[in-house]
Amino acid sequence: MGEAATKLTVVRNPAEEGFLKTYADIAGTLPGTEKIVKARRDAMAVFEELGLPHRRVEEWKYTDLRAAIKEANPVAKPASVDAGALKSALGALADVDAIRVVLLDGHFAADLSNVDDAGKGMRIMPLAEALGDKEFAAAHAEIANVLEHDTSVALNTGLMTDGAAIRISGPHETPIHIVHATTAQSASLVTTRNTVSVGAGANVTLIESFVSLGDAGVQVNTVTHVGIGDDAHVVHVKVQKENAESLHLATWAVELSARCHYDTLQVTTGAALTRNQIYLTFNGEDAKAHMNAAYLQRGKQHCDSTLVIDHIVPGCESRELYKGVLDDQARGVFQGKIMVKPEAQKTDGKQMAQALLLSDEAEFDSKPELEIFADDVVCGHGSTSGAIDDELLFYLRARGIPEKKARALLVQAFVGEAIAIIEEHEKLYEALMGIAEDWLSEAV
Amino acid sequence: MAAVQETIDHVKTIDVDQYKYGFTTDLESVKAPRGLNEDIVRFISDKKNEPEWMLEWRLDAFERWQTMDEPDWARVSYPKIDFQSLYYYAAPKNSEGPKSLDEVDPEILRMYEKLGIPLKEQELLAGVRKHDEPSQLDAEPSDEDGYAQMAGKVAIDAVVDSVSVVTTFKKELAKAGVIFCSISEALQEHPELVKKYLGTVVPKSDNYYATLNSAVFSDGSFVYIPPGVRCPMELSTYFRINETETGQFERTLIIADKGSYVSYLEGCTAPMRDENQLHAAVVELVCLDDAEIKYSTVQNWYPGDSEGKGGVYNFVTKRADCRGKNSKVSWTQVETGSAITWKYPSCILRGDNSVGEFYSIAISNGHQQVDSGTKMIHLGKNTSSKIISKGIAAGKSDNTYRGLVSTHRKATNARNFTQCDSLLIGNKCGAHTVPYIEAKNSSAHFEHEATTSKISDDQMFYCQQRGLNEEEAIALIVNGFVREVMQQLPMEFMAETQKLIGISLEGSVG
């Protein structure tokens, strides 16, 4: 259906025209070797053909990007901020010890970063630089092609300005924190790309945060590619608390090798519209991926979580726990697809999407999908939605807890279940629970 | 894998090559010319001697159909259907309208006997008439006792190709005020009822196949249960495609007026043919205040041979409108046949406190492709729905559950529970689940669960540890797998279904 419907989109809207024009204007100034230049050109051809996805495109049924993006914002100009302003925007996250890579308005900011503290077995370079490296660019161009069917990724490939290129080997105690900060005072476009390669047996925690220092609406489009080697263990955390005018498109493309562990957590409170996509592929046997998310939205915010989990080899395990809290007219979307290919016997895949609706006008749309071609598997999904349980509320109030506080406690417990995946990282855990608390305290 | 051996064996017994209803019957028939155009629509309408408004309705649908595209979103693939190569009307000769059993072509009666539905015999066994008495269709039920005897009987509307050949027990039903006849007859005798309700649940241009059906539907059943009446017997329609290259387009309309109840069964078979036969039916249920409709289907159209050749394409639109307060509709379906199944029996829960249920067992084998599920649309307050779907995929088949549960903003306290489970046998088949859940109201409480599995070692261990041998343990577990749906079937269908599915149900029946 998607294909046929897309072909009907002959007339381009101003935003589609705008992105194409932006590309035509700045293509010459974007970093990259010839291979990357070609990858960008191919990607924009895909975008030109598909256009912005709308609700007749099945994968975007509940998030109509064509309606949401009225025009393409101009590309953000490199800016500078002082460390204090960034620290206060990050809040408690700033207190989590980390090797920090700061991307300001889509460009690496060396003065705010401390990549020089990276120890042995950790190589971090700005993506703009890496794209100029022949060997790296050759590998990266292929990565860009993997997701060519996805319009938001195509747009990212075409327009990416900078990001972090990271290579890890060995175990690392200190996390890597990629800070994506925007300073915009007027509408702008920020396109970043990160690529993380984790070697066999390595161990690392990766944090990506997205914050706004300005008040203007920014169109953020970010893609992170993660390749994980045999027996490695990666914790990948994403925190997004951009201003309520912004539009946020994030894609993670993850490839897992044998016996590795990949734990993720995505916490979202910001942006007018968020789309978090994860494409995860099991390439090696007996690997495990546990993926959690907590999103808290109010006003007219819209948060879409879309997952495509591809089990192509035997014996892997995937788990998802997605928790959404929706107030006012906020809308939560969950689309999770577990695919099990014929060879992927002994797959164990489970998915749970839950939403707590705090207002009568909030909406939750869920589409948990299973596509299974192997017989010896255990797969399942669940989806629930509803209001706060009156009995639980009564229990707390009977013990003298005021209603507002009782509600907050229940909401905290609800999202806490998902955030608990990083419990062992005490400071990070507290920072993230703090974000949920802040969100609750903002309630009228 | 030993654990599912019993299921495998049983599914094999219903394997495509062993389709037991694949015989053909030599019936002389009257056909419309091949192809589809306005004249064919007029021909069908004329054959049925329909009122002018009906012809207009059909022509309007046909006009709209020509502007529509075939839907391609379902997980089914098949060569493009050439709608011009089909016959849109075929009727066994000399049966231009339903009549008494004695006048029915003996070939047809023999055919139904072969199918296990001896129309005449059933009538005799039921004590409606003795051998030398005239058919019950002409006789008046003798007294109130005779009326009481009706319980446990099944009235059947037999449809061959495009027309209804006979409807049994009509007079007895009439005594209770129930109208049960073919829709062509209803158009003659009760045009006001047909006009009032036809197309109000499935609009004439609802979707591609429904629109085609609106234009060319040839027959089907019509049921009207008057207020406060509990239909004294099960009603049933038996569909049989006999002719070659014929499309079957039947339209069923059931109206349960205030406070009434009816249980309706539907069965279908077709001969084995090399070419694909098209079946595009529309079923509309209207349920008014406090009424209840229970609609059960055992679909066993010819599924094609082991190479995937032939078989029926089954594109069906079934929808119930729970229009009244406290109304209830329950769909139960056992899908074992058809090369392609494209079917989503739905409930529009419009009335406050209305209830919708969907119970389904879908078994696919060989090259069958099933894309089936339901839609529960909550519009009224305090509405509730329940979906239990069990898919068993074997051979090279694909079995997809596709469903929608949605609440309107004003549908406070809506409740839904969905469970869809799939069992895979072999690794050349696929089982898929595509549910859409849309909650637009905080008081709505939706729960959805889906699993895909084979029988787990834990379950086996648990059972065996309690003294069951392996066979018994499997039987118990597989039995448990489909039981929730089996329990919903009327007794009359349970036996047939057991044979069809062939899954042991020891100790769970009754």
Side-chain angles (χ1 to χ4, degrees), chain A residues 58 62 359-361 363-377 379-387, chain B residues 75 409 424 426 429-433 435-442 444-454:
Chain A
E58 184 62 24
Y62 297 113
S359 118
D360 266 347
E361 289 166 292
E363 175 174 346
F364 179 59
D365 300 311
S366 174
K367 187 188 164 198
E369 230 179 302
L370 293 173
E371 189 181 298
I372 295 167
F373 290 99
D375 60 344
D376 189 5
V377 301
C379 284
H381 62 220
S383 177
T384 64
S385 73
Chain B
R75 183 181 269 281
R409 286 241 182 281
L424 286 135
C429 51
H432 320 294
T433 319
Y436 296 79
I437 305 144
E438 302 176 0
K440 292 187 181 138
N441 188 299
S442 71
H445 193 92
F446 285 180
E447 285 173 88
H448 174 98
E449 245 181 87
T451 62
T452 302
S453 60
K454 65 168 197 174

